[in-house]
């Protein structure tokens, strides 16, 4: 006699049915909101920097030694792995991973919201997050850079902490930090949940070990001294905004206003909920506050920094909507859809003049140099190296590391004396051992131009001659006989 198998509990059936319906919707929404990211070869210099780093690593470079940046290693390693499998000629595979990162973040937020406030809240949180995640300048929101890959780690840390899985929560915090230092800010709301749930000493040890051991492992795999210097101790001048206060303030206000526009459908219910009731979301407010501090660190306020605010903002809006009439949720989602459509149109239609400039410089490099030549692009757009498939003549891929210039400053504290400590002796040695076949001064009147940098000016005057100009960038070739 055949015996029918036991049916799974109704709660299991309901859970599977819930996710079977929600996951495809979130997947489609994640793909739609990332469509603009696939229409351009590059979105910003961070993508270019990562692409050049990955090529250098794939060709035998050593992170924090012959390949340097002020960031932790996780994302350069990810780019390197993608290039190893798919080749380094396109960022499309990395953009696919960015879509998956956004989807993972949305799913984790939906799970958090569903656990706290029910099925409808889960759907609302996942959808709201994806809709507002593109609510910045497209070069900030659509690029496959650090913040996009921080977010699933921070959401995973909160998801694990909410379930008292302290070791896993610590590992997620470590992964966020190893993607970008500011990702470690999620440790504060995780600690809040640990305190709320009365975590044990054993739980605290698991949390601490989970957070510390991956970071220690990354330091040992690379170079402990170099890891500490480039990710923590070597960026003091970069974090100062002395003399650029108004410039920095204008950027902070502009990007805040852009994100507020994207969140226009979420802000009214949150404000209304705060006026009429407590939402019981203290850890979420702490998450938002910690993310706001992370945005502030370094005093640059680039648009992509603000992406860290979007997961807690989506959850807080979801919490607020639970105590308001049902039609409020529909209005919030509709408003967010409209704002999302505007930002997607911006991403698809807006011109990118700096990309076109970098492409013209890359074409010039391709025509004037051979594939095996080393070249120097003196500027803040390292994507030129990647577009031209030419090897940088130095480990310092931008003039910013050698002068403290960045797009976040308007001039003060720029020059050789503000460079990252120890960079100029190494830079001079690299150029002496293997002189670049072509130098492109892409400063275009910026305060880091050769006229303001004596060491570079002397080098160009002694060994190079001007041979052309492209879009304001000056080309220098070695003097005959050098």
């Amino acid at each position: 006699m055949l015996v029918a198998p036991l049916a799974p509990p109704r709660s299991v059936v309901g859970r599977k049915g819930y996710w079977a319906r929600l996951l495809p919707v979130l997947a489609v929404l994640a793909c739609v909101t990332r469509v603009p990211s696939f229409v351009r070869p590059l979105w910003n210099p961070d993508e270019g920097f990562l692409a050049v780093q990955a090529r250098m690593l794939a060709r035998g470079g050593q992170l924090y030694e012959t390949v340097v940046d002020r960031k932790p290693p996780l994302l350069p390693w990810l780019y390197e792995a993608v290039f190893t499998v798919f080749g380094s000629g396109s960022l499309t595979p990395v953009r696919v991973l960015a879509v998956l990162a956004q989807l993972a973040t949305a799913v984790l937020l939906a799970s958090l919201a569903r656990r706290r406030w029910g099925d409808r809240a889960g759907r609302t949180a996942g959808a709201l997050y994806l809709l507002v995640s593109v609510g910045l300048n497209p070069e900030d929101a659509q690029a496959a850079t650090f913040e996009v890959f921080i977010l699933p780690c921070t959401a995973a840390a909160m998801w694990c902490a909410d379930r008292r899985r302290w070791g896993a929560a610590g590992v997620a915090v470590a992964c966020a930090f190893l993607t970008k230092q500011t990702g470690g800010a999620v440790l504060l709301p995780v600690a809040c949940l640990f305190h709320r749930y009365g975590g044990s000493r054993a739980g605290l040890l698991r949390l601490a070990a989970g957070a510390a051991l991956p970071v220690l492992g990354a330091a040992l795999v690379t170079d402990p001294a170099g890891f500490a210097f480039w990710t923590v101790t070597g960026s003091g001048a970069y974090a100062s905004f002395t003399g650029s206060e108004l410039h920095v303030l204008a950027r902070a206000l502009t990007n805040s206003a852009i994100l507020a526009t994207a969140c226009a459908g979420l802000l009214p219910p949150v404000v209304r909920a705060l006026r009429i009731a407590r939402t019981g979301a203290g850890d979420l407010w702490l998450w938002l506050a910690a993310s706001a501090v992370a945005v502030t660190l370094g005093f640059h306020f680039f648009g992509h920094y603000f992406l860290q605010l979007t997961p807690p903002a989506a959850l807080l809006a979801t919490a607020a909507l639970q105590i308001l009439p049902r039609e409020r949720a529909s209005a919030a989602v509709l408003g967010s859809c409209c704002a999302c459509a505007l930002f997607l149109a911006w991403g698809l239609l807006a011109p990118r003049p700096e990309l076109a400039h970098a492409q013209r410089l890359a074409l010039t490099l391709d025509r004037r140099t051979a594939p095996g030549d080393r070249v120097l692009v003196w500027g803040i757009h390292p994507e030129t190296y990647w577009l031209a498939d030419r090897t940088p003549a130095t480990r310092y891929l931008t003039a910013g590391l050698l002068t403290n210039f960045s797009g976040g400053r308007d001039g003060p504290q720029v020059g050789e004396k503000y460079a990252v400590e120890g960079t100029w002796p190494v830079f001079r040695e690299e150029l002496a051992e293997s002189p670049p076949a072509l130098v492109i001064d892409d400063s275009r009147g910026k305060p880091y131009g050769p006229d303001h940098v004596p060491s570079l000016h002397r080098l160009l005057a002694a060994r190079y001659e001007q041979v052309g100009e492209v879009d304001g960038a000056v080309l220098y070739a070695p003097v005959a006989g050098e």
Side-chain angles (χ1 to χ4, degrees):
M1 181 177 64
L2 296 176
V3 179
L6 293 176
R10 180 171 297 181
S11 60
V12 175
V13 174
R15 182 164 60 249
K16 289 182 177 179
Y18 178 83
W19 290 111
R21 293 188 297 272
L22 181 58
L23 277 175
V25 174
L26 294 181
V28 169
L29 190 55
C31 291
V32 170
T33 54
R34 300 295 298 182
V35 164
S37 71
F38 293 91
V39 302
R40 302 183 190 279
L42 281 160
W43 274 101
N44 66 21
D46 281 351
E47 280 188 329
F49 204 117
L50 285 161
V52 178
Q53 273 189 305
R55 271 187 179 160
M56 295 171 71
L57 291 171
R59 293 169 181 172
Q62 298 296 315
L63 201 57
Y64 307 125
E65 295 181 28
T66 59
V67 182
V68 299
D69 190 17
R70 292 184 171 100
K71 301 295 192 299
L74 210 55
L75 200 51
W77 284 342
L78 178 63
Y79 266 65
E80 181 190 4
V82 170
F83 282 4
T84 299
V85 175
F86 297 102
S88 62
S90 171
L91 294 186
T92 296
V94 181
R95 267 75 180 272
V96 172
L97 292 182
V99 174
L100 295 177
Q102 291 290 71
L103 176 59
T105 305
V107 169
L108 289 165
L109 296 179
S111 181
L112 270 168
R114 186 190 186 211
R115 177 179 170 89
R116 295 189 179 197
W117 306 299
D119 289 357
R120 182 166 65 91
R123 294 189 291 269
T124 301
L128 287 179
Y129 166 72
L130 291 171
L131 292 170
V132 303
S133 67
V134 295
L136 290 162
N137 187 315
E139 71 177 34
D140 296 308
Q142 295 292 341
T145 52
F146 300 96
E147 283 75 16
V148 169
F149 291 97
I150 282 177
L151 300 183
C153 301
T154 57
M158 293 296 288
W159 187 92
C160 292
D162 197 51
R163 287 158 175 76
R164 309 184 194 190
R165 300 175 184 176
W166 304 117
V171 171
V173 171
C175 289
F177 175 84
L178 288 172
T179 303
K180 187 180 178 184
Q181 297 92 322
T182 54
V186 76
L187 182 60
L188 287 176
V190 167
C192 173
L193 288 174
F194 182 86
H195 176 73
R196 175 189 295 179
Y197 294 146
S200 64
R201 180 176 297 180
L204 181 60
L205 289 175
R206 289 195 297 272
L207 176 61
L213 291 179
V215 177
L216 179 60
L220 293 175
V221 167
T222 55
D223 168 59
F227 176 89
F229 177 80
W230 284 103
T231 63
V232 181
T233 64
S235 302
Y238 183 76
S240 171
F241 71 119
T242 303
S244 298
E245 292 88 348
L246 292 179
H247 188 73
V248 169
L249 179 61
R251 178 180 293 103
L253 294 176
T254 299
N255 285 319
S256 297
I258 294 174
L259 184 59
T261 300
C263 295
L266 311 187
L267 296 178
V270 171
V271 172
R272 182 173 175 81
L274 288 174
R275 289 171 51 196
I276 64 176
R278 294 174 60 88
T279 59
D283 59 312
L284 302 182
W285 283 109
L286 183 57
W287 187 7
L288 183 67
S291 299
V293 171
V295 170
T296 304
L297 288 177
F299 302 105
H300 281 75
F301 296 104
F302 291 126
H304 48 90
Y305 291 10
F306 288 74
L307 287 173
Q308 274 192 258
L309 300 173
T310 53
L315 284 177
L316 284 168
T318 302
L321 290 170
Q322 302 316 299
I323 59 175
L324 296 176
R326 188 184 184 92
E327 59 269 17
R328 296 275 183 177
S330 300
V333 173
L334 179 61
S336 297
C337 286
C338 293
C340 179
L342 290 176
F343 282 98
L344 291 181
W346 184 5
L348 291 170
L349 302 176
R352 310 303 307 173
E354 285 300 325
L355 173 60
H357 172 76
Q359 288 172 321
R360 285 189 285 271
L361 292 186
L363 182 61
T364 300
L365 280 175
D366 182 64
R367 289 172 175 171
R368 287 181 171 268
T369 63
D373 286 341
R374 291 160 63 87
V375 299
L376 173 65
V377 179
W378 183 255
I380 57 171
H381 291 280
E383 58 266 34
T384 304
Y385 293 117
W386 180 73
L387 291 167
D389 195 12
R390 292 297 184 268
T391 301
T394 174
R395 69 193 66 186
Y396 309 120
L397 302 183
T398 71
L401 297 174
L402 293 154
T403 64
N404 196 44
F405 182 87
S406 80
R409 299 288 184 266
D410 61 352
Q413 293 195 356
V414 173
E416 285 186 55
K417 67 178 181 179
Y418 300 110
V420 176
E421 182 183 355
T423 54
W424 272 98
V426 174
F427 179 68
R428 286 191 287 264
E429 181 180 346
E430 287 176 325
L431 297 194
E433 289 181 354
S434 184
L438 189 71
V439 176
I440 297 182
D441 168 24
D442 194 30
S443 55
R444 290 177 285 165
K446 300 293 195 307
Y448 63 87
D451 290 342
H452 304 287
V453 182
S455 291
L456 182 62
H457 181 76
R458 287 193 296 269
L459 171 70
L460 293 176
R463 301 182 183 178
Y464 290 83
E465 61 182 351
Q466 185 174 335
V467 294
E469 186 173 324
V470 178
D471 289 349
V474 183
L475 312 181
Y476 293 91
V479 175
E482 285 290 334

